[in-house]
Amino acid sequence: MATQPSSVASCVDDVLITAELERRPRRAPDHAAENRAMAALARQLAADPHGVPQKLAELVLELCDADSAGISLLEELDGQRVFRWHAAAGLFAEHLGGTIAFDRSPCGVVVDRNQIMLMRYGERCFEAMVGFDPPLIESLLAPWAAEGRALGTVWVISHREERQFDAEDARVLRNLADFAAAAYQAIVAFEETAESRRDLVRAAEERTRVLAGHNRMLEHEIAQRRQADDALRASEQRYRDLLGAIPAGVVACDAAGTVVFHNACADRLCGGPPGETPACWGPAACAVNGHRLANFTTPLQDVLAGGEAVVDRELSIERPDGSRIDVLLNITPLRDHAGALGGAVNIVQDITARKRVEEELRASELRFRTLASTVPVLIWQNDDQARNVFVNQYYLDFSGRAFEDLMGVGWHALVHPDDAPAYIADYMDAVRTRRPWRNLDRLLRHDGQWRWFDNYAQPLFAPDGSYAGHVGASLDITDAVLAEQALKETDRRKDEFLAVLAHELRNPLAPISNAVHLLRHPDGRRRADRLVEMLGRQVRQMIKLVDDLLEIARITRDKIELHPQPLLLADVVHGAVETSRPLIDQNRHQLDVRLPDEPLTLYADSVRLTQVLANLLNNAAKYTDMGGRIELAARRVGAEVEIAVRDNGIGIPPGHLPDVFDMFTQAHRAAGRGQGGLGIGLAMVRGLVQMHGGTVEAKSAGAGHGSEFVVRLPLADAHDAADDGAAAAGTAPLAGQRILVVDDNQDAADTLAMLLEADGARARAVYDGAAALAALPGLRPHTVLLDLGMPDMDGFDVARRIRADPAWSGVRIVALTGWGQERDRERTRGAGFDFHLTKPVDLAMLHAWLGTSRAHEALPGT
């Protein structure tokens, strides 16, 4: 084998980039196009073998998306090896038939190395490649051989910088190089046959002229004829071998439709025994083999009858074993030199796998569209210019627009005007940079509402690696955004509340601290009465703050138990007025109470309903300037009673009306007109009214125009109203009750016992757990008021001892403690306590609990 000149050998590796084939993104195989190319080559081979090389060059140009393509055949010219361009297509077509020296052509390198090669800017090494316009950017060449000899190359050229060949192009070129070799063998076989025939004719003529004088040459002449026949048979055999090697079924028939040739691939496809007529060919074959489908023969009959070729017809055939395959038919009529129809050749390709892939692709597309139409998310796809090409059904339902209206840039109209500029600019940047994208925006729903969406998108790339756009999903997060805003507002109010709480707690602490210093002063005793009264007032204020906190916590967690009973509305109103009268009189307000003449009965908790009205009256007194006017008016409205508390005070700004019942809110605090407190009173009012099945509403004409709070409550049923007298009765006195007070703080125990005795009870104080157990037989108490935090034996131990003795099963045990959270109450209930009181003791609540006729039940808050 000849070697390349040293100058070429030294530079050829500089332009070879064959390794790039495996590193570049590989485009998806187009088997359908490749099958059509094979069928076209087979038809060309059957009709005109000499035209196969040019047909192959034109097909490889299309399959590889090249700018030039061709086939080079190695020849010997004047004692030198050259390559002749036997086929050329594309921009190189004008050079068809030209030659180039073996050692000056890249084809020589490919043939010498016998491998496929990719070259870039080959003119740097091969002078013959210089001067082409446009220039030869990349060249992909594949060698081909026949009968064990390297005979030439199949090549494609790209004249464009952006077009780079990949491994799929190399595979296609390699497959078609094999076809080039087969075509060459067929051409040689045909030419040898023709030459043999011409030689035979010339020999016969010569022998005829000299037959008379050359009888002795007869045997030699016969031998020559036999040799020519053998050569013809050999040529025909090569032709058959060539057709047998084609990766498609080939069946030829005469003008009557009788099979005259079929290759092994046709036997396999049609399911017949090797060497026998294919089982799927011709009506007779179908009948003999019990074949149920005759559609395979119909196209053949059409070709033999009309002489028109059948191109790329898809059929489904059933083979004798019952299996079914999909095939692609290409039937070409065969004509003799006179133009008469002499038969036909059928190229049969098995496309079952391709059809299965197509079916799977359609099923996958159906699954995607079904999923996209089912999920409650906006799903969309944009092209590489950010234009909509697909949206799902939920997208259409959300927007209320037609599919066509949302295509292209129609989606821009859905974006909120305040969000659109930054939103669209950010998305366009993601399109330019081919990056994943996420953004928040507001989109217009079909009902005119703006909804918040969290948008996600990923870039989409085609099989060849090119950017195809973005695929995205948009999730409605409006509820989460609103919840986050509400949480931030609650957090702001919490911070404000903590600041107010610190302020409100310091207010009573200041006079208490001053009073302690005054009591320590030498003349403190002289001022003791006044200071004690003041201390009591401030302690009560602190107790109220803490109680309000605990109360609102129990309301918001549904821990309050109502004890409803039939109540006269007038009694509830009078109780509330009595509670609020000191504050009203202190501010010299005029109070006007108007009740309906008819007695109205409510089925409600007396303590809680009184608390509601007293709170509204106190608010009116606090937020009305000195000497103002307050009205409380009630009237029946159907099956409800409407209670309105009005004042001519400072009013409520319109912007604060919707929030006055929210936790930690004081509408006047920002304006500097706050009157103390934690801003939870109206929240407590709303909670208690709702627990009674009612509603409460705030009204105001604005700052300086007073306020009105309207409470609506359901009236009691008729049978409940009949019990009004019993419900209005007072509680039983403490006379006759025996009470044991247990507290290691002797002063606290003694003073509480004295207060109970003042209310008519027989009370005794002891100061530890052992003394409490020892006092039980002598006093036999109805109730034990038991401190929890005692040394040695705490209140829980004492309670367990009492509950363990059947002799004291009827004794009620009340916990006395400074801890008042719900978990503390749950702990005392679990230890057997009947009631839970926080220190300092609310005497009114204790008196009410001890005096109630339902002594076995716990008051609200237990």
Side-chain angles (χ1 to χ4, degrees):
M1 177 179 293
T3 59
Q4 294 291 322
S6 59
S7 60
V8 173
S10 62
C11 71
V12 70
D13 289 332
D14 294 335
V15 298
L16 282 180
I17 57 168
T18 309
E20 287 290 322
L21 292 173
E22 295 301 326
R23 288 195 288 266
R24 290 175 178 172
R26 183 169 184 164
R27 63 185 175 91
D30 190 350
H31 294 301
E34 195 171 342
N35 287 340
R36 289 193 297 271
M38 288 295 186
L41 288 172
R43 290 194 299 271
Q44 184 67 39
L45 185 63
D48 179 18
H50 288 85
V52 170
Q54 183 60 30
K55 186 68 174 180
L56 190 149
E58 293 168 357
L59 289 173
V60 74
L61 183 77
E62 177 183 354
L63 289 175
C64 293
D65 187 24
D67 302 304
S68 296
I71 296 177
S72 297
L73 182 64
L74 183 60
E75 298 179 0
E76 189 160 330
L77 182 63
D78 297 331
Q80 299 292 327
R81 291 195 302 168
V82 298
F83 285 101
R84 186 179 299 279
W85 295 310
H86 271 248
L91 299 178
F92 215 79
E94 63 182 357
H95 301 286
L96 178 64
T99 62
I100 184 172
F102 180 94
D103 56 0
R104 298 180 61 240
S105 170
C107 297
V109 179
V110 173
V111 169
D112 273 348
R113 300 190 182 186
N114 194 27
Q115 63 182 24
I116 194 164
M117 290 186 179
L118 176 64
M119 298 183 184
R120 189 167 180 86
Y121 302 115
E123 71 270 20
R124 298 174 182 173
C125 186
F126 300 96
E127 293 181 359
M129 300 178 71
V130 176
F132 287 92
D133 184 20
L136 284 59
I137 306 300
E138 279 196 2
S139 304
L140 181 64
L141 307 95
W144 57 274
E147 298 180 348
R149 293 185 302 113
L151 296 179
T153 62
V154 178
W155 43 266
V156 290
I157 298 173
S158 169
H159 299 279
R160 294 167 288 163
E161 286 287 347
E162 69 274 14
R163 177 61 180 116
Q164 297 180 343
F165 299 115
D166 60 17
E168 177 59 18
D169 297 309
R171 185 192 68 79
V172 170
L173 205 63
R174 192 179 297 111
N175 288 347
L176 293 178
D178 295 339
F179 211 110
Y184 172 81
Q185 288 180 299
I187 293 170
V188 171
F190 276 117
E191 290 178 349
E192 287 179 351
T193 301
E195 183 63 28
S196 297
R197 286 175 177 171
R198 287 193 295 272
D199 291 343
L200 181 61
V201 171
R202 287 194 297 270
E205 291 174 350
E206 179 67 18
R207 290 187 188 95
T208 301
R209 287 193 299 268
V210 297
L211 183 60
H214 299 282
N215 286 333
R216 60 180 179 273
M217 299 292 295
L218 182 58
E219 291 182 2
H220 179 68
E221 191 175 305
I222 293 173
Q224 284 186 326
R225 180 171 295 183
R226 285 175 179 171
Q227 290 177 357
D229 289 341
D230 291 342
L232 178 61
R233 284 193 294 271
S235 176
E236 290 179 349
Q237 185 60 46
R238 285 195 297 271
Y239 177 72
R240 289 176 180 271
D241 292 343
L242 169 65
L243 294 180
I246 293 176
V250 180
V251 184
C253 68
D254 58 18
T258 302
V259 174
V260 297
F261 172 81
H262 53 91
N263 66 354
C265 185
D267 298 343
R268 292 193 299 271
L269 288 178
C270 295
E276 296 185 8
T277 301
C280 57
W281 185 273
C286 291
V288 170
N289 290 281
H291 204 289
R292 293 194 295 275
L293 297 181
N295 59 347
F296 194 67
T297 62
T298 302
L300 171 65
Q301 295 168 356
D302 293 341
V303 171
L304 294 177
E308 295 294 331
V310 170
V311 179
D312 292 344
R313 182 174 298 181
E314 295 184 4
L315 292 177
S316 178
I317 67 170
E318 184 179 344
R319 301 191 287 187
D321 62 359
S323 61
R324 187 184 294 268
I325 62 172
D326 296 300
V327 296
L328 183 70
L329 300 183
N330 282 275
I331 305 178
T332 302
L334 299 178
R335 299 182 183 275
D336 58 20
H337 295 293
L341 189 65
V345 60
N346 188 358
I347 309 299
V348 187
Q349 294 173 267
D350 185 354
I351 60 171
T352 306
R354 192 194 82 193
K355 297 288 285 187
R356 182 168 57 251
V357 171
E358 291 173 352
E359 288 294 332
E360 292 174 353
L361 183 61
R362 282 193 290 270
S364 175
E365 178 72 11
L366 179 61
R367 283 194 300 272
F368 164 74
R369 292 190 176 273
T370 302
L371 176 63
S373 299
T374 302
V375 296
V377 176
L378 307 184
I379 296 179
W380 45 271
Q381 180 180 347
N382 285 178
D383 61 15
D384 58 355
Q385 299 298 316
R387 297 171 299 203
N388 257 354
V389 295
F390 169 80
V391 296
N392 68 341
Q393 186 61 44
Y394 187 78
Y395 202 124
L396 300 176
D397 295 342
F398 173 85
S399 64
R401 305 191 182 198
F403 184 85
E404 296 76 13
D405 296 336
L406 296 171
M407 293 302 98
V409 294
W411 60 272
H412 289 187
L414 299 180
V415 184
H416 194 285
D418 294 343
D419 302 339
Y423 176 88
I424 295 174
D426 186 50
Y427 180 64
M428 294 304 297
D429 181 69
V431 170
R432 284 191 298 270
T433 57
R434 303 345 185 206
R435 62 175 170 84
W437 175 79
R438 181 179 182 183
N439 208 326
L440 299 179
D441 78 326
R442 287 166 289 179
L443 299 180
L444 182 62
R445 197 164 65 181
H446 61 84
D447 58 1
Q449 182 181 2
W450 292 103
R451 305 285 294 178
W452 281 101
F453 276 85
D454 195 356
N455 306 288
Y456 303 81
Q458 287 289 337
L460 179 66
F461 296 96
D464 62 358
S466 62
Y467 171 67
H470 270 69
V471 176
S474 301
L475 179 65
D476 190 333
I477 59 168
T478 306
D479 293 340
V481 170
L482 295 179
E484 182 181 2
Q485 292 173 350
L487 185 61
K488 290 179 179 178
E489 176 62 18
T490 301
D491 190 57
R492 183 192 65 77
R493 290 180 179 173
K494 178 205 67 176
D495 293 341
E496 184 177 330
F497 160 73
L498 291 175
V500 172
L501 176 61
H503 175 268
E504 292 298 327
L505 288 176
R506 288 191 183 99
N507 282 342
L509 286 176
I512 290 174
S513 176
N514 293 338
V516 170
H517 287 295
L518 286 172
L519 286 173
R520 290 175 178 170
H521 203 270
D523 61 347
R525 290 188 179 183
R526 181 171 56 83
R527 305 179 184 180
D529 292 342
R530 181 181 174 190
L531 292 175
V532 167
E533 181 182 353
M534 182 271 293
L535 284 172
R537 230 179 9 257
Q538 297 303 324
V539 168
R540 285 193 297 274
Q541 175 65 13
M542 293 187 69
I543 292 172
K544 184 180 184 304
L545 290 174
V546 175
D547 285 346
D548 282 351
L549 280 174
L550 296 176
E551 191 84 334
I552 194 63
R554 288 195 290 270
I555 289 175
T556 55
R557 291 183 295 184
D558 294 329
K559 296 298 183 180
I560 282 188
E561 294 182 25
L562 294 182
H563 293 276
Q565 58 184 348
L567 302 171
L568 288 174
L569 173 63
D571 292 344
V572 176
V573 171
H574 292 154
V577 170
E578 181 180 348
T579 301
S580 302
R581 177 61 71 178
L583 183 59
I584 294 173
D585 292 344
Q586 177 184 333
N587 290 280
R588 297 196 298 276
H589 295 316
Q590 178 184 346
L591 175 63
D592 183 13
V593 178
R594 296 196 304 273
L595 299 177
D597 295 335
E598 63 172 318
L600 298 180
T601 304
L602 305 169
Y603 190 67
D605 187 307
S606 175
V607 173
R608 298 305 183 186
L609 204 52
T610 301
Q611 186 178 1
V612 167
L613 297 182
N615 201 312
L616 294 178
L617 288 170
N618 288 343
N619 270 6
K622 288 193 295 183
Y623 294 109
T624 300
D625 291 336
M626 191 74 68
R629 179 179 178 82
I630 300 173
E631 296 180 5
L632 188 155
R635 66 189 182 102
R636 181 184 188 125
V637 182
E640 291 184 328
V641 61
E642 184 179 278
I643 308 167
V645 177
R646 305 182 187 91
D647 61 65
N648 63 346
I650 62 177
I652 302 174
H656 291 277
L657 270 176
D659 304 324
V660 294
F661 293 103
D662 290 344
M663 194 80 72
F664 314 135
T665 297
Q666 281 192 341
H668 307 290
R669 183 178 294 146
R673 296 298 302 269
Q675 295 292 320
L678 303 177
I680 60 178
L682 289 179
M684 189 185 308
V685 166
R686 181 175 61 180
L688 291 174
V689 169
Q690 289 176 346
M691 291 177 67
H692 281 86
T695 61
V696 60
E697 177 185 6
K699 301 179 181 179
S700 177
H705 295 281
S707 305
E708 179 182 6
F709 289 85
V710 181
V711 176
R712 297 178 180 86
L713 294 167
L715 291 168
D717 293 336
H719 68 276
D720 294 327
D723 297 330
D724 286 353
T731 59
L734 298 184
Q737 293 200 32
R738 297 185 296 276
I739 303 173
L740 178 63
V741 180
V742 186
D743 195 332
D744 62 335
N745 186 325
Q746 296 186 20
D747 292 339
D750 291 341
T751 54
L752 182 54
M754 292 168 62
L755 289 171
L756 294 173
E757 286 181 345
D759 288 333
R762 180 185 170 191
R764 179 179 174 184
V766 296
Y767 314 119
D768 58 56
L773 296 176
L776 290 175
L779 181 61
R780 302 191 66 81
H782 298 103
T783 305
V784 177
L785 303 181
L786 183 56
D787 180 35
L788 297 182
M790 297 184 296
D792 298 330
M793 184 186 300
D794 63 15
F796 291 102
D797 292 333
V798 175
R800 280 192 287 270
R801 297 261 188 115
I802 295 175
R803 292 298 183 222
D805 190 341
W808 314 118
S809 59
V811 174
R812 294 175 298 166
I813 307 177
V814 178
L816 293 178
T817 177
W819 302 101
Q821 297 296 320
E822 182 58 31
R823 60 178 178 271
D824 304 312
R825 297 175 185 275
E826 290 176 356
R827 187 182 178 198
T828 54
R829 279 197 295 269
F833 287 84
D834 297 287
F835 192 48
H836 187 111
L837 281 176
T838 56
K839 296 180 179 181
V841 175
D842 185 334
L843 294 177
M845 180 175 288
L846 176 61
H847 188 280
W849 189 80
L850 291 173
T852 180
S853 59
R854 297 178 296 170
H856 62 284
E857 296 181 6
L859 286 180
T862 62

